[in-house]
Structures are given as structure tokens and as C-alpha cells.
Amino acid sequence: MLTFDVPGRFWRGNLHCHSDRSDGALSPEEVCGRYREAGYDFVAVTDHFRAEYGFPVTDTRGVRDGGFTTLLGAELEAPRTEFASKWHIVAVGLPVGFVPPEPGETGPELARRARAAGAFIGMAHPAAALLTVEDAATLDAAHAVEVFNSLAAREDRGDGLHLYDVLLGRGHRLDAYAADDCHFQPQDPPGRDAWVRVRAESLDPDALLSALKAGHYYSSTGPEMHGIEIGDGRITVRCSPVRKIVVTGSVPGAQWRAGDGLTECSLPLDMFTRSPFVRVTVTDDAGARAWSNPMWRR
């Protein structure tokens, strides 16, 4: 079942940001208020899970109400990857009492423990962390790759799509999410400019978390996706007005359509007969993009 066929509606949320419980500038309540004011339906405050901050799983349950909710989580860290001193792993859906890492616990081991505790696991800003394919392949608990990170884009390393597509091509069944990684520090980008749209029947945190784990969402920095259908050897995409719609798979080449104010197009899938998946990217006039999760054909 494709995301757009799942019962429910889309809820807008951010899966990666920080408060003053770690290195952010604002209190958790202020962070949540910023997202609520920006029209978000939910947010996960994912403070750095480090000893210097007391290993926080920041508890934002007190700001929940009928129109806005939160998911609890943290950015887990453990030594090390090939080029960086530590892993950066987004874990959304952690229990408040999640146990800090043991001495010598590796990133993949920590991620497995977080997943076993109920969390959705993401590879945070892979380009900014110089994560290699070999590193990423060991993170076998991951549900998804952070394919765009607004804060990392400041360093020209916001885009994780190359690593993501290589992993997909090698058979790793991973989804794709975008996040702003906002710290609300004066020198940072303003944030609230990269998000997920999660398809669920309610704003209940458990429903959102289940939908994330099932891949029932798409990611965006602006455009909206209204529908994707596959049938009779073609893929049909409906979206808000964009200038380009691109379908890619695991082999070189793409099917695409460009034009002014495109809101729908149908493209053939014959060039992807060897690819186990296809995915869709749309780009609007401002250069903002939206990404579907991969649709697996076998």
C-alpha cells in the first residue's frame, strides 16, 4: 500500500531539533511553541544524549494538547565512524528513562537498543558527518536516512541523497526524512524549513510513531505531494505547483517532466525494470524540494 492510499491525513512535523537541555538556545517549551506557531502539528526535541548534558530524553509531554503533540527522542552519540569522532543517530519514540550507553557501546549497538525500546531510528546529517557507505551499512537498526538537514546545508553538506541512493541500490530498505536540526542559536539558520508529512488517522503519538516506522510519510522543504499511483507500467504524480518532477531508481538515468506550474504528470517505468524501487522528487520555482519514500517493486 502506497503512503497516499493509507487511511488518515497528513500531519506536519519535525524529527530533529534541540533545546537548552543540550546545546540549543531555547527551553523545550519555547521550542515546541515555535513549531506550533509555524503551523506544525508535532515535533520531536532530540537533545544530544551526552554525559555533559546528563543524557537527556527531553520530556515534552506537558505541552501536548488536542491540536499539537510531541514525540520524545534524542540524538544518540557513540564513538566512532571512519572520518568523525562520533556517530549521530536520531532516535524518536524513546522512553524517558532510556539507559545511557555503556562504556565501549558502539553506535550500531546503541541504535539496536534504542530500536528495541520502541524508537524510530534515523542516520542524522550523513554528509555533514562524512558518513561512509561502510559506516552506514553497519547501522542495521536504522529505519531511515536524513536526506536533507537545514543546519548542515549551511556548511554545504545538507544533502544526504548520494549515500541514500547507494544504500538503496545495495538493497538496504531505508526510508528518507528531512529535518531542520534547529538549535535556535543566533548564528544558525532560522529553522522550521524542512519537515515530514506523516500519514496517520490521528495525531496520537503512538499513531505517528507507527506511521513513521511503516514509512507512511514524505519529506519536504516546501512543495506538497498529493498523490502517487503506480499501474500499467507508469507512475502518476500529483503535487502542488512545481517546475520539475523526477522519478529515479537504482540505476543511472531518470524519467522527468519540467514545466511551469506542473501539478500532475504520468511517466513510464520501463527504464527501471532492473531497479527494485523507484522514488519521486519534486522541485518548485524557489528550488525547494519534496521527496517520496522509495516504492519497492520487488
Side-chain angles (χ1 to χ4, degrees):
M1 181 179 290
L2 299 182
T3 293
F4 301 89
D5 300 325
V6 173
R9 54 157 285 192
F10 284 108
W11 308 91
R12 183 185 182 192
N14 183 42
L15 300 177
H16 183 181
C17 64
H18 300 271
S19 78
D20 63 4
R21 297 297 186 270
S22 60
D23 59 347
L26 304 180
S27 71
E29 294 76 17
E30 289 175 294
V31 171
C32 292
R34 294 288 183 95
Y35 286 96
R36 185 199 298 263
E37 291 165 7
Y40 282 65
D41 299 300
F42 72 93
V43 68
V45 177
T46 52
D47 282 312
H48 292 280
F49 198 66
R50 298 183 198 161
E52 65 195 272
Y53 302 124
F55 295 108
V57 176
T58 301
D59 190 352
T60 54
R61 290 174 293 182
V63 306
R64 294 174 179 172
D65 61 29
F68 183 85
T69 197
T70 64
L71 301 176
L72 307 190
E75 184 171 348
L76 308 179
E77 300 179 15
R80 60 164 291 158
T81 63
E82 181 177 349
F83 292 112
S85 62
K86 62 185 71 173
W87 283 91
H88 293 264
I89 302 163
V90 167
V92 174
L94 287 174
V96 171
F98 185 68
V99 176
E102 297 288 338
E105 189 172 22
T106 68
E109 290 169 343
L110 183 57
R112 289 182 205 122
R113 187 159 62 81
R115 180 165 175 155
F120 167 89
I121 306 297
M123 299 184 197
H125 43 65
L130 294 182
L131 201 66
T132 67
V133 174
E134 290 73 23
D135 291 328
T138 68
L139 201 68
D140 51 13
H143 292 91
V145 175
E146 198 171 85
V147 296
F148 185 78
N149 178 295
S150 302
L151 184 63
R154 181 184 61 181
E155 306 166 7
D156 200 26
R157 289 180 174 171
D159 199 322
L161 287 167
H162 175 261
L163 174 73
Y164 180 57
D165 279 342
V166 172
L167 290 169
L168 293 182
R170 292 187 177 182
H172 296 272
R173 296 212 169 200
L174 294 161
D175 292 317
Y177 72 98
D180 61 35
D181 194 6
C182 195
H183 290 62
F184 298 96
Q185 298 287 0
Q187 71 273 20
D188 291 344
R192 281 92 72 216
D193 56 2
W195 55 84
V196 290
R197 294 270 189 182
V198 180
R199 185 86 173 180
E201 291 193 86
S202 74
L203 197 52
D204 177 76
D206 290 338
L208 294 172
L209 188 60
S210 294
L212 285 166
K213 293 176 182 178
H216 295 157
Y217 63 93
Y218 70 89
S219 302
S220 182
T221 61
E224 295 183 0
M225 289 187 171
H226 297 152
I228 296 177
E229 299 173 5
I230 294 177
D232 298 324
R234 301 185 71 84
I235 183 168
T236 300
V237 180
R238 293 181 292 106
C239 57
S240 59
V242 297
R243 62 176 169 84
K244 186 166 64 174
I245 297 171
V246 181
V247 180
T248 52
S250 65
V251 293
Q255 291 284 4
W256 58 280
R257 181 79 51 80
D260 294 329
L262 287 174
T263 59
E264 183 171 345
C265 80
S266 179
L267 296 166
L269 291 172
D270 51 300
M271 75 179 302
F272 303 113
T273 55
R274 293 172 53 202
S275 176
F277 74 94
V278 292
R279 64 177 185 84
V280 174
T281 305
V282 301
T283 306
D284 69 14
D285 285 339
R289 293 174 290 171
W291 303 268
S292 78
N293 281 327
M295 291 151 281
W296 294 92
R297 308 183 72 200
R298 59 177 181 270

